[in-house]
Amino acid sequence: MAQKHGLLSQGVCTGDTLVDRAVLSGIQGALAGKARVLVVPTGARLETVEFVRAALGCQVLQVFEGVPEVFGGGFSTLVGDYKDQPEAVGVPFPTLEYKIKGGEGFDADDPRGEILIRGPLVAQTPDIDAAGWLRSGVFGRLLPNGALALLPGPVL
């Protein structure tokens, strides 16, 4: 499995290595070799996600489901982005906008605060302001690669 994890660290997810043929073919065969992409909710243990990627040789995307008013969660990790930080929930779906609403002492170089979301995938609720932003009640920070990372609660 070290070889498979080494490939993942290089951004390569494959089911066609010597390890696959000699050791993992039984696991892959259980899915008839047809698994190409699996979608799991954010919060799955990183070690588990990496094991599934390595063992099945397929993409595993994590989808954020923390805001029920947003259809499909609104954020997903990307194919090939295996170096993501464990707390990352990915980038927003193309039809969504998001911003971080910080409080006093907001640092533009390290934006962290409440996540505000708007777009056609957001359900119409009384929590939406006049500009169309939904206050999610979820706190996060923006990562250098443009992905969103969750924080445990109010951080301001």
Side-chain angles (χ1 to χ4, degrees):
M1 288 302 280
Q3 175 196 17
K4 296 284 288 190
H5 285 291
L7 289 171
L8 287 175
S9 70
Q10 298 171 27
V12 177
C13 184
T14 181
D16 191 31
T17 67
L18 180 59
V19 174
D20 290 299
R21 290 188 293 275
V23 180
L24 300 172
S25 60
I27 295 171
Q28 294 169 355
L31 296 171
K34 297 183 192 255
R36 298 290 179 253
V37 176
L38 297 177
V39 178
V40 299
T42 298
R45 293 186 52 204
L46 185 61
E47 298 83 15
T48 303
V49 172
E50 288 179 350
F51 175 80
V52 171
R53 279 188 186 125
L56 297 181
C58 70
Q59 308 294 333
V60 179
L61 304 180
Q62 292 182 282
V63 177
F64 175 54
E65 298 178 335
V67 183
E69 297 88 354
V70 179
F71 175 76
F75 296 84
S76 175
T77 55
L78 301 174
V79 170
D81 190 6
Y82 307 120
K83 300 172 191 164
D84 220 351
Q85 297 179 21
E87 72 273 20
V89 296
V91 296
F93 293 171
T95 58
L96 288 180
E97 294 178 78
Y98 78 99
K99 65 181 180 179
I100 308 287
K101 181 181 181 200
E104 191 174 318
F106 181 76
D107 181 359
D109 292 330
D110 184 22
R112 48 182 68 222
E114 184 178 14
I115 303 164
L116 279 64
I117 306 169
R118 73 175 173 188
L121 296 177
V122 178
Q124 296 302 310
T125 72
D127 299 326
I128 296 178
D129 69 16
W133 290 103
L134 170 70
R135 292 189 64 171
S136 69
V138 176
F139 293 83
R141 69 183 180 95
L142 190 60
L143 298 175
N145 67 356
L148 182 68
L150 297 182
L151 296 171
V155 293
L156 308 172

